[in-house]
Amino acid sequence: MKSCTEIEYEEYTNLDTSKYVQMTGNMVKTFGSVLIALLQTTGDFIVFIIISIFLIYINYIFYLTIISLSLIYFLIYKTLFLNQLINIGIETNKNYYKLYKNIKEFFQGFKEIKILKINQFFLTEAKISANNISKLDIKNAFITFAPKYFLEVFF
């Protein structure tokens, strides 16, 4: 599918625009979500700056202690869990590939599978892949969200 900028003027005047409606909708959704994330990050940064200025004004030694402890915590977290997150991502991708491959093969050979009555094999393979994906997603969620809660408890 060509993008709107790659179309010559002559082609554009005779263009069936129904093909590009979905593409335009996807672009709006993508840029909208990016804009919301950018605004939220900017707001969080402004709040961080205001709180930092207030803490420096109140007690700069306490502020430096909190910042140094937070940096140490971040470095420890990064060194301990970054490799695990990478490995979890690789394993999740492998399991998604197995799941999609299994589903594709099932539907491509549907008649043969029904005749030979080997659909249980495909069902068990899909269950194994889905279970592995769910376990890896739980580990990923724990590693991703746990630091926030630990920081809230300790600070």
Side-chain angles (χ1 to χ4, degrees):
M1 179 185 303
K2 291 182 182 179
S3 71
C4 295
T5 57
E6 296 175 352
I7 299 172
E8 296 293 328
Y9 180 73
E10 293 81 27
E11 289 181 42
Y12 185 73
T13 55
N14 299 327
L15 181 68
D16 178 22
T17 57
S18 63
K19 291 191 276 184
Y20 298 97
V21 170
Q22 183 180 5
M23 181 180 68
T24 306
N26 289 340
M27 287 177 19
V28 168
K29 286 179 187 176
T30 302
F31 290 127
S33 62
V34 168
L35 181 62
I36 289 171
L38 182 65
L39 289 173
Q40 185 176 7
T41 303
T42 305
D44 290 344
F45 183 71
I46 291 170
V47 168
F48 173 75
I49 295 297
I50 291 171
I51 290 174
S52 296
I53 291 170
F54 180 71
L55 285 175
I56 289 171
Y57 178 73
I58 299 292
N59 188 353
Y60 70 91
I61 295 172
F62 180 69
Y63 175 75
L64 292 175
T65 305
I66 288 176
I67 291 297
S68 61
L69 288 175
S70 297
L71 288 174
I72 291 169
Y73 178 76
F74 172 73
L75 291 174
I76 290 171
Y77 171 78
K78 185 176 178 183
T79 55
L80 290 178
F81 295 116
L82 186 62
N83 288 335
Q84 285 185 0
L85 281 175
I86 291 170
N87 292 336
I88 287 171
I90 291 169
E91 287 299 315
T92 302
N93 287 339
K94 286 179 185 177
N95 281 299
Y96 271 117
Y97 175 76
K98 288 177 187 176
L99 181 65
Y100 294 145
K101 179 182 170 191
N102 192 2
I103 292 170
K104 179 182 172 187
E105 289 174 356
F106 178 78
F107 284 112
Q108 284 179 342
F110 189 71
K111 280 185 182 179
E112 292 85 7
I113 292 169
K114 282 293 188 180
I115 292 170
L116 297 174
K117 297 181 181 182
I118 56 171
N119 57 351
Q120 193 63 32
F121 168 77
F122 289 97
L123 183 62
T124 56
E125 288 295 316
K127 283 182 181 179
I128 290 171
S129 295
N131 285 335
N132 288 340
I133 290 169
S134 66
K135 289 176 186 175
L136 291 168
D137 282 345
I138 290 170
K139 287 181 185 177
N140 185 14
F142 178 75
I143 291 173
T144 303
F145 295 119
K148 175 184 175 186
Y149 299 117
F150 286 134
L151 281 176
E152 287 177 0
V153 167
F154 293 119
F155 293 114

